[in-house]
Amino acid sequence: MVGRKPRFSEEEKLSMLLRMQSGENVSRLADELGIHRQRLYAWREQLRVCGNLTPSRQGRPKKRPPEAPPDRQALAAGFALSAEQRRADGLTKARRRIVELERRIGQQQVELDFFQEALRHVRGAVQQQKDAPGGAVSSKSFKK
């Protein structure tokens, strides 16, 4: 079996991914299966992206038959739908932007409150220094 890739069923792959997710050592799981650990990561990514663990077909994609040109009514309906989708996408993007700006404003408010409190603290310390004996209180000069 040297040079051959072992084949695993989707159930075996899924059980290994569940064990991997539960915290088992990935290298030990890979050794148990006799594969490289990168293959486990590839399975996890394939499950995340495709939703299944069946291997994708390797090689050149099949040629598709040429599609018939759409009629004018279907084309107009497609444009109307896409304009409606674009409007919905624009609203979604605007809502996301509003949430992001509100988050930034909140963060800036927290920073502003921090610096205002720090400034009050510094001003209070400077005032205490001036009022202390031997402090930097200006005295009247006796120039004549």
Side-chain angles (χ1 to χ4, degrees), residues 42-129:
W43 290 348
R44 182 178 66 185
E45 185 64 18
Q46 184 177 1
L47 182 63
R48 187 184 67 78
V49 172
C50 301
N52 62 10
L53 290 169
T54 55
S56 60
R57 184 179 174 275
Q58 299 293 323
R60 182 179 288 178
K62 292 181 179 178
K63 289 185 178 180
R64 293 184 181 183
E67 296 178 10
D71 61 342
R72 285 189 149 191
Q73 232 177 8
L75 192 60
F79 279 124
L81 182 63
S82 65
E84 192 173 307
Q85 286 176 341
R86 279 183 277 161
R87 197 173 314 121
D89 289 344
L91 286 174
T92 303
K93 287 179 184 177
R95 287 184 181 124
R96 286 183 189 152
R97 181 73 176 146
I98 289 170
V99 168
E100 175 64 22
L101 290 174
E102 287 175 344
R103 187 193 62 78
R104 283 186 186 175
I105 289 170
Q107 182 64 34
Q108 289 174 351
Q109 185 63 46
V110 167
E111 291 171 359
L112 181 63
D113 291 344
F114 171 78
F115 285 116
Q116 284 177 340
E117 184 63 33
L119 185 60
R120 274 191 231 114
H121 181 71
V122 169
R123 284 182 180 160
V126 168
Q127 187 63 34
Q128 286 177 356
Q129 266 186 344

Side-chain angles (χ1 to χ4, degrees), residues 1 5 14 22 29 33 44 61 74 78 81 85 113 118 122-123 125 128 131 139:
M1 195 160 150
K5 292 182 181 178
L14 191 57
S22 69
L29 290 174
L33 293 173
R44 182 178 66 185
L81 182 63
Q85 286 176 341
D113 291 344
V122 169
R123 284 182 180 160
Q128 286 177 356
D131 294 343
S139 58

